[in-house]
Amino acid sequence: MILPTFNPPTSAPTIAFRRKPEPSAPKLAVMIFNGEYDIASAESLRADLNRVRDIPRVVLDFSDVTYVDSKAIHELINLRNYRAAKGFEREAIVFENPNLRRIFGILMLEQVFHCVSNLSDVVRNDDTNSHLYYAAPGLDSHE
């Protein structure tokens, strides 16, 4: 039977033990989007983007996004402006859709955002404290 000891023996060395606190916020956020983003879904998009706006590194995965209009672009630029004012690095946007790539190219958004074709180009497999978020699905314009 082991009895509790209230006072350690005087000959026992004392070892300081400090637990490393868990970070209160992630250092990296990856948000997955899908569907269409237009004026009808602007409020939902804004709310989703606000969830990650104060995280130092942000990756927006638009691999399953089929359409964005000027209102969606406006929300992305608002996110960039907010984060730039706080000194955060520019957001990475992942997309393969040639139509989205064309829109981003015409608007020269590839100079504003870090645009890549593959999530593995911007997310490393390391110990970075990161969170995965799912955006509310984009609203289909036919519903």
Side-chain angles (χ1 to χ4, degrees):
M1 174 180 208
I2 299 175
L3 297 174
T5 303
F6 297 104
N7 295 321
T10 55
S11 63
T14 304
I15 300 172
F17 175 76
R18 289 190 316 173
R19 182 173 177 217
K20 184 178 177 182
E22 293 294 321
S24 59
K27 301 281 187 226
L28 167 67
V30 176
M31 182 169 273
I32 310 293
F33 294 84
N34 68 9
E36 295 183 356
Y37 288 90
D38 56 19
I39 195 164
S41 60
E43 191 172 318
S44 173
L45 177 60
R46 182 181 317 115
D48 287 329
L49 295 174
N50 283 341
R51 291 169 48 203
V52 298
R53 72 183 191 164
D54 290 310
I55 299 172
R57 286 188 57 226
V58 172
V59 177
L60 307 173
D61 188 343
F62 277 39
S63 296
D64 293 326
V65 172
T66 55
Y67 176 81
V68 293
D69 72 357
S70 61
K71 186 60 177 164
I73 299 292
H74 176 79
E75 295 302 333
L76 291 171
I77 301 251
N78 281 345
L79 174 69
R80 169 77 301 247
N81 291 339
Y82 174 88
R83 290 175 44 78
K86 291 205 159 227
F88 291 134
E89 68 182 62
R90 65 186 181 148
E91 303 72 24
I93 299 182
V94 180
F95 54 80
E96 296 178 23
N97 184 318
N99 292 329
L100 291 182
R101 188 160 297 280
R102 190 176 79 242
I103 290 169
F104 273 64
I106 291 169
L107 298 174
M108 298 192 317
L109 294 174
E110 293 175 337
Q111 296 173 10
V112 176
F113 301 101
H114 180 73
C115 299
V116 297
S117 297
N118 193 328
L119 189 59
S120 64
D121 292 340
V122 289
V123 177
R124 295 176 291 283
N125 189 13
D126 59 16
D127 291 337
T128 301
N129 181 23
S130 58
H131 285 187
L132 177 63
Y133 298 87
Y134 289 93
L139 300 175
D140 185 35
S141 61
H142 301 293
E143 294 182 300

